[in-house]
Amino acid sequence: MFDWDIERADFLFQIKILRDQVRAFESGEKYIRMKEEFHRCRAADARATQKLKAELAAARIDTRHVRKLWYEVCEKQAKETDKLRKELDELREKYLKKCHELYEVKTELEEMKEKNDALQKRVRKDYSNSSIPSSMSPNHTVIHNSREKTGRNPGGQPGHEHHGRKQHKPTRTHVIEPPKKYQNAKNYRPTGRTIKKQVVSVHVVTEVIEYITPEYRNIKTGQRVHAPFPEGVVNDVTYDGSVKAFAYMLNNELYTSVDKTRTFLKDISHGEIDVSNGFICKLSEEFSQKTKKERDEIFLKLVAAPVLHSDFTFGRVNGKQASVIITATDDAVLYQERPKKGDEGVKGSPVEIYEGTLVSDHEAALKKHGKQHQECLAHILRYAKSGMENETEKKWHKRLIGWIDNAIGYWNEVQNDPDIYVSETANEYIERLSGILDMAKEEYAYDPPSRYYRDGYNTYRRMRDDFDDYVLFLRDPSVPPTNNLAERHARKIKRKTHQVISFRSENGFEKFCDGKTIIESARAKGDNLYDALVERFNQSPDVR
C-alpha cells in the first residue's frame, strides 16, 4: 500500500470528525452541553471561591489576633527593655559616680602626697643643698671639713717650727732683777739668754687741737675779720677723719646700730666724743660724695677685666624689696642699688657694656651679656645634692656630684701648675658630663618629674640647653668654675639687712652700697681698712 493512500484515509477521518462537530452545533446539542458544563463549572468555582473567602476571612482573623498578640508581646518586651535599660543607666550612673569619687579621692590623695613630699623637701633644704646660709639653718649638724683624718693630735707636730704670737715694739721696758738665790748660788750660771714676755694694752686718746686767732672790726663799716682757719675747720667743734672713720666703720662694716655706735664712742673716749645720731647717719652721704671719682675708676676697671663675677642679692627699703647688683674681680668690687633685679637691675652696671667672660649663676638677665659665660658650679652642686635627696629613684645626680668634685679638683691643679693642662684630659671631662646628661634624659623620660619638685629636672634642662656655659672653665683655665667671689660679697649686704631690717629710703641704701664698694675694694687690695677710711674722709670736699 502506498503512502498517499494512508494520508488520504487520515484526511477523510478528520473530515468526518469535523462534520460531526458541525452537526452537533447545528442541532444545538453541543451548545446545551457546553452551557450545562459552564454552569456546573461556575457553580463549582463559586463554591470554591466562597470556601476560599471563608478561609481567607478566618486567616485574616487569625492574623489580626496573632498581630495583636505580637504587638502585646513586643510592647511588653519593649517595656521590660526600657525598664532594664533604665535600671542599667541608673547602675551605670552610680558606677560612674563611684568611679569619679574614687578618681577624685585618688587624685586628692596623690596631690596631698606630692604636697607632703614637697614640704618634706623644703624642710630638708639647708646650707648643703641650697643657697640658704648655714647660720640660717637652725639645729644644723656639724659642718665637716674635707680633711682626711690622720690620727695625730691637733696642734704642732714634732719637729715643726714654733709659731708664737707676734712680738710688738715695746713702748716701755721693765727689767726684772733675778732672785738673789740664783745670783749667789754656786749651782746656777747665766746662760746668756733673756726671757721676754709682753703685755699689750690699747688706750684711746682724745686729741683736741684748738685754733685761736684774734678778731678785728672795721670802725667805719663794722665788718669783722680774722685770720683764715685751716681747710675743713668750719664749725666750732669739727671731727676729723679719724672720728668719722671710727664711727662709719662701726656702723657700716661691723653692722652696729647708730645708738650703739654713739654709745661706744662716748664710752671709749670717757665722754669726750659725744656725737649725735644725725652726725653718724650723714657719714654715708659724705663718704659717698668724697669717693665718687674712685668708684668711677672702679667701674672702668671692672669693664676692662678679662673675667668678671656678677650676682644679685636683696635688701629692703621702706618695707619693700630692693636688689643690689654686685660686680667683682680679685681686687675690685662694685655694689649698686637697684629697685628690681633682672634687665632693669643690669642697666647702668658694668655688666651692661661688658665684653669679656662673665661668671654668674643662672640669672637670665646676666647671661645675655659678655662674649662668654660660665655658670656657677657651686649652685649646680647644691641642686644636685637636693635632687639626690628628693629623687632617690634617679642616679644621675650622684654622678653629677662626683663629676663636679673631680672637674674642679682638676681645675685647681691646673691653676697651681698651668704646665700640666692637657686639652685631651679636659675633653674627657666634657664627654663625661655629656654622658651624665644623657643618663638624666633617659631617667626623666621613664619617670617624669613631680609637679611639686622640678629643681632636678630644671637643672638638667639648663645644663643640656646651655652645655658650653658649664664647661668653659675646662676649655679656658683662666675662668673660675664658681661664682663664689661675688657670692661672698653678697653676704655683706645680707648681714646689714639682718641688722637694719629695712632701710628708710633708697638714697640711704644707695649710699651704703657706695661705701661697701670702697670698703671691699680696699680690703681686696690688702689695705688697712681704718687707715683707708680716714684717708678718704680727710679728702678735700672738692674731690668728687
Side-chain angles (χ1 to χ4, degrees), residues 309-437:
H309 294 256
S310 185
D311 194 15
F312 279 103
T313 189
F314 296 99
R316 297 193 70 81
V317 175
N318 198 19
K320 297 181 180 179
Q321 190 180 72
S323 65
V324 178
I325 182 171
I326 303 166
T327 47
T329 59
D330 293 334
D331 58 352
V333 187
L334 182 63
Y335 294 83
Q336 293 174 292
E337 184 271 338
R338 294 289 185 268
K340 296 181 180 180
K341 62 182 296 187
D343 293 333
E344 295 184 20
V346 173
K347 291 180 180 179
S349 70
V351 176
E352 184 180 15
I353 58 176
Y354 186 66
E355 294 296 333
T357 300
L358 188 64
V359 182
S360 69
D361 55 13
H362 52 274
E363 177 64 42
L366 298 177
K367 291 178 62 175
K368 299 177 182 178
H369 303 276
K371 288 186 177 180
Q372 298 182 107
H373 185 259
Q374 170 63 47
E375 285 280 354
C376 177
L377 292 187
H379 285 74
I380 302 302
L381 180 62
R382 293 195 290 264
Y383 297 148
K385 288 182 179 179
S386 176
M388 187 174 64
E389 295 173 358
N390 298 307
E391 295 178 328
T392 55
E393 70 282 359
K394 295 178 175 60
K395 306 300 181 184
W396 77 277
H397 309 98
K398 186 174 182 180
R399 292 189 59 184
L400 179 60
I401 292 173
W403 180 87
I404 292 175
D405 291 338
N406 295 334
I408 293 180
Y410 172 73
W411 181 84
N412 288 330
E413 294 178 359
V414 173
Q415 282 296 103
N416 296 330
D417 187 5
D419 295 335
I420 67 174
Y421 175 76
V422 180
S423 59
E424 288 78 7
T425 305
N427 290 334
E428 290 178 2
Y429 279 105
I430 295 174
E431 291 178 0
R432 282 176 54 190
L433 178 61
S434 179
I436 293 173
L437 297 181

Side-chain angles (χ1 to χ4, degrees), residues 59-72:
R60 287 179 177 176
I61 292 172
D62 291 341
T63 302
R64 285 196 297 270
H65 180 67
V66 171
R67 185 184 295 115
K68 180 179 179 182
L69 293 177
W70 184 79
Y71 283 155
E72 290 177 355

Side-chain angles (χ1 to χ4, degrees), residues 517-531:
T517 295
I518 304 302
I519 290 174
E520 296 303 325
S521 296
R523 178 180 281 113
K525 296 176 183 177
D527 297 343
N528 182 283
L529 185 55
Y530 178 73
D531 291 342

